[in-house]
Amino acid sequence: MRILLAEDETELGTWLVKALAQNDFQVDWVNDGRLVRRCLKTTRYDALILDLGLPGLGGHDVLADLREADERLPVLILTARDSLMERVTCLHGGADDFLAKPFELSELEARLIALIRRSRGSEHPRFACGPLGYDSATKQFRLQHEPLTLTPREHAVLRALIQHSGEALSKRELVERVFSDEQDVNPEAIEVLVHRLRKRLEASPVRITTLRGMGYLLECPP
């Protein structure tokens, strides 16, 4: 899952990027509220972690700007301002969740996953596409009730696709999610991984469809 973090505390921001990466979150970090909209214009994110005390453009203004533009991105407020009035104001202003500092990483991760599931119309702790399911807590895939064994990169591609089941992801988006720690990756590597995944899924009704000019779509035709 790709997250945009808007946080001006350098020590906290650095730690969050590394800590969340250990649990399959890919985090882009900005320390100025004015950079949020710029990032959203070029990259598709699954959620935004938003501090209120940002320089340039404060968190309340960032949130108002997003909602006025009808941006539906799930927003989790992460702030040291832990008053009831602050919580109420943020939630009325369009925030989807609120977590006060200091916080436990496990709670932040759980809230992010729940936000992203709800934004896709699911309250269940599993992401699913037909008989294929992914449990974000155990990080395991099951196909027709049996464990599905994958290589780490196959796992990363299929995880990205099932988290956006019914939506097309481009090769560029998949490269960014699978090879985020590498430079100059040939997009054709995604084609190889998709080919392998299609072979693993071929005994089931789940399909990875190529949409010309758009990318790859995970679906389970009726």
Side-chain angles (χ1 to χ4, degrees), residues 4-6 47-52 63 67 73-79 94-100 107-113 115:
L4 179 59
L5 170 66
L48 166 64
I49 300 174
L50 179 63
D51 180 34
L52 295 179
L63 181 61
R67 296 319 187 210
L73 180 71
V75 176
L76 184 150
I77 301 296
L78 188 65
T79 181
D96 299 279
D97 203 352
F98 188 108
L99 184 60
E107 182 179 4
L108 174 61
E109 292 171 345
R111 287 175 179 269
L112 283 172
I113 291 170
L115 273 184

Side-chain angles (χ1 to χ4, degrees), residues 24-82:
D24 299 329
F25 291 96
Q26 182 181 352
V27 183
D28 292 341
W29 171 31
V30 296
N31 58 8
D32 188 308
R34 294 169 295 188
L35 300 177
V36 172
R37 173 58 64 181
R38 187 181 306 174
C39 290
L40 294 180
K41 287 180 179 178
T42 59
T43 304
R44 175 160 52 172
Y45 293 98
D46 297 303
L48 166 64
I49 300 174
L50 179 63
D51 180 34
L52 295 179
L54 294 168
L57 190 67
H60 285 295
D61 292 326
V62 171
L63 181 61
D65 178 50
L66 295 179
R67 296 319 187 210
E68 286 173 8
D70 200 28
E71 172 60 65
R72 307 297 178 87
L73 180 71
V75 176
L76 184 150
I77 301 296
L78 188 65
T79 181
R81 305 177 190 175
D82 190 23

Side-chain angles (χ1 to χ4, degrees), residues 131-132 143-144 148-150 158 193-208 218-221:
L132 176 68
L143 180 63
Q144 296 173 333
L148 182 62
T149 303
L150 302 169
L158 192 56
L193 292 169
V194 167
H195 174 74
R196 292 178 185 171
L197 287 169
R198 283 171 170 159
K199 298 290 285 184
R200 296 187 186 278
L201 298 170
E202 63 184 0
S204 77
V206 181
R207 297 288 179 265
I208 301 176
L218 184 71
E219 59 181 351
C220 184

